[in-house]
């Protein structure tokens, strides 16, 4: 099977490639590096604003939100061209792919103007306040409370693993607004500026290195949030959360394909055993591409099989993780050296994807956790794809 495109899609690709050739920042311009997933260097802010203004930031969006109302196939080739050049789409990925997208889906016109457009234009950055101690991937168990008091909510509680919170200007925060409602109900989504009194951010090091300060604990002590910062209807935050994690599901597998392609480019097997698992990686990448292409074709026909996308997420995330693990094992003690690089420097990419083999392996766990763990994906596949009975 070979994925081909009509002339209009290839013309779209060629136009974007020409734009990149003319406007891509140079290595000399991109000397300042991102410190976290909510820190965008000045040069990258200018670059993201240019993409927005020219309709190349999120081509599927309408022009007023940084796009060109592009088809799903045009969006695919746009991401493919970024991947080929190792261009990181945005140094605030949650802001671009989750928070702004959620506001465009569920927000008011005022929220889109006040928050979504500045996030898309990199004028402000955003982080996602979802996980809590004891409620990592189980949003229904969250305990952070918001009590309505006149024209404000009073928020108390704690979030954890809040990536980039210390550099973010605003948090999309999920809170419990009706403690008497069933677990999946009584949840609401609030936009909370990070300079609000009573909000404290505490960054901490990650598994990859103590100086890797992206994760945060966030504490809320009587934080007052205006009612107009409620995203979506009161007590309907579960819908917003599912939408937040579900944006671009049809193309999510491409991020795992990128990691696999990078491993194929960056690692050269030496022993027969290394060549054997390298061949497995090649086959896994081919399988992911074929399954992804089939899903893409269905989406282009207007038939998005959401449960089947769990197969892509599970296969892609676990194959990329297994390959990174094998590369680390093959490197031996040298793979643990830090800091270290395992790929040529690419000024438009994120260095954490080309660090030591240990760093690349450790970061692969994000793919099997974020957006629904592998266990959750297996349950979806069993019940909604294979039709197995629930216990």
């Amino acid at each position: 099977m070979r994925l081909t495109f009509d002339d209009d899609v290839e013309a779209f690709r060629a136009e974007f490639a020409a734009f990149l050739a003319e406007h891509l920042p140079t290595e000399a311009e991109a000397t300042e590096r991102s410190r976290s997933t909510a820190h965008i260097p000045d040069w990258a802010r200018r670059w993201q604003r240019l993409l927005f203004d020219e309709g190349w930031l999120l081509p599927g969006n309408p022009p007023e939100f940084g796009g060109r109302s592009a088809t799903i196939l045009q969006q695919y080739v746009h991401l493919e061209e970024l991947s080929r050049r190792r261009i990181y789409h945005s140094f605030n990925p949650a802001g671009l792919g989750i928070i702004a997208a959620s506001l465009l889906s569920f927000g008011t016109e005022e929220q889109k103007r006040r928050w979504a457009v500045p996030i898309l234009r990199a004028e402000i950055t955003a982080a996602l306040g979802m996980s809590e101690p004891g409620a990592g991937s189980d949003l229904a168990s969250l305990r952070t409370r918001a009590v309505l008091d006149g024209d404000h909510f009073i928020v108390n509680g704690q979030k954890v693993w809040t990536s980039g919170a210390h550099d973010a200007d605003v948090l999309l925060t999920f809170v419990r607004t009706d403690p008497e409602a069933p677990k999946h109900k009584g949840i609401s989504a609030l936009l909370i500026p990070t300079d609000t009194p009573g909000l404290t951010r505490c960054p901490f090091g990650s598994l990859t290195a103590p100086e890797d300060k992206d994760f945060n604990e966030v504490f809320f002590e009587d934080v007052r949030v205006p009612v107009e910062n409620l995203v979506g209807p009161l007590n309907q935050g579960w819908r917003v959360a599912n939408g937040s994690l579900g944006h671009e599901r049809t193309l999510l597998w491409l991020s795992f394909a990128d990691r696999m392609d990078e491993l194929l480019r960056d690692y050269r097997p030496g022993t027969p055993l290394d060549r054997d698992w390298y061949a497995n990686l090649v086959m896994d990448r081919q399988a992911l591409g074929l399954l992804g292409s089939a899903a893409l074709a269905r989406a282009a026909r207007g038939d998005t099989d959401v449960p089947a996308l769990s197969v892509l997420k599970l296969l892609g995330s676990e194959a990329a993780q297994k390959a990174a693990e094998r590369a680390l094992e093959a490197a031996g003690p040298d793979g643990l050296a830090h800091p270290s690089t395992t790929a040529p420097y690419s000024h438009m990419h994120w260095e954490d994807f080309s660090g030591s083999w240990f760093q690349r392996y450790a970061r692969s766990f994000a793919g099997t956790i974020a957006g629904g763990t592998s266990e959750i994906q297996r349950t979806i596949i069993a019940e909604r794809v294979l039709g197995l009975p629930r216990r």
Side-chain angles (χ1 to χ4, degrees), residues 204-219:
F204 57 91
S206 75
L207 175 67
T208 61
E211 67 271 17
D212 176 35
K213 298 288 177 62
D214 192 38
F215 288 145
N216 279 248
E217 290 180 299
V218 182
F219 300 91

Side-chain angles (χ1 to χ4, degrees), residues 16 82 97 101 119 154 156 160 175 194-196 200 206-207 255 257 283 311 317 343 352 369 371 375 391:
F16 182 48
L82 292 175
I119 291 170
I154 310 300
N156 284 278
V160 74
V175 296
T194 55
D195 60 357
T196 305
T200 303
S206 75
L207 175 67
S255 63
M283 290 186 287
V311 177
S317 62
D352 289 341
I369 296 173
E375 290 78 9
R391 295 184 61 184

Side-chain angles (χ1 to χ4, degrees), residues 246-260:
H247 284 296
E248 304 298 335
R249 274 179 177 164
T250 304
L251 299 176
L252 177 63
W253 64 274
L254 274 173
S255 63
F256 304 119
D258 285 350
R259 301 291 84 77
M260 295 163 78

Side-chain angles (χ1 to χ4, degrees), residues 25-255:
T26 66
E27 185 172 338
E29 293 172 311
T31 53
E32 184 186 2
R33 309 311 299 163
S34 177
R35 298 189 304 265
S36 77
T37 53
H39 170 250
I40 307 180
D42 288 342
W43 67 267
R45 289 178 185 265
R46 293 191 295 271
W47 168 242
Q48 186 164 317
R49 282 195 288 272
L50 178 63
L51 289 170
F52 179 96
D53 293 341
E54 297 297 325
W56 291 120
L57 182 63
L58 292 168
N61 285 359
E64 62 269 27
F65 297 121
R68 300 179 168 219
S69 300
T71 67
I72 190 68
L73 295 179
Q74 291 171 331
Q75 293 172 60
Y76 173 88
V77 298
H78 169 264
L79 292 175
E80 194 173 53
E81 290 304 305
L82 292 175
S83 175
R84 285 178 178 174
R85 294 164 176 79
R86 280 193 161 176
I87 298 174
Y88 200 46
H89 196 178
S90 169
F91 288 100
N92 184 209
L96 186 70
I98 298 178
I99 290 93
S102 297
L103 290 170
L104 296 184
S105 295
F106 299 99
T108 64
E109 291 305 312
E110 170 62 16
Q111 288 171 345
K112 294 175 186 178
R113 182 195 63 79
R114 182 181 175 189
W115 301 106
V117 171
I119 291 170
L120 292 170
R121 287 178 51 81
E123 293 164 357
I124 62 174
T125 61
L128 183 65
M130 186 173 283
S131 296
E132 297 185 4
S137 60
D138 182 11
L139 178 64
S141 297
L142 67 81
R143 294 188 295 274
T144 296
R145 294 277 303 275
V147 178
L148 189 59
D149 179 25
D151 58 357
H152 283 74
F153 289 98
I154 310 300
V155 180
N156 284 278
Q158 178 188 354
K159 297 292 180 180
V160 74
W161 316 119
T162 314
S163 299
H166 61 299
D167 286 318
D169 298 295
V170 65
L171 304 179
L172 178 62
T173 310
F174 290 87
V175 296
R176 189 162 294 283
T177 44
D178 184 355
E180 304 303 321
K183 284 177 52 174
H184 291 77
K185 299 181 180 180
I187 295 171
S188 299
L190 296 175
L191 285 165
I192 307 180
T194 55
D195 60 357
T196 305
L199 190 156
T200 303
R201 297 163 287 171
C202 301
F204 57 91
S206 75
L207 175 67
T208 61
E211 67 271 17
D212 176 35
K213 298 288 177 62
D214 192 38
F215 288 145
N216 279 248
E217 290 180 299
V218 182
F219 300 91
F220 304 88
E221 297 181 20
D222 294 328
V223 174
R224 296 181 61 84
V225 183
V227 168
E228 60 262 28
N229 287 20
L230 174 69
V231 180
L234 183 68
N235 297 325
Q236 296 296 313
W238 186 257
R239 286 180 54 221
V240 179
N242 282 333
S244 298
L245 297 177
H247 284 296
E248 304 298 335
R249 274 179 177 164
T250 304
L251 299 176
L252 177 63
W253 64 274
L254 274 173
S255 63

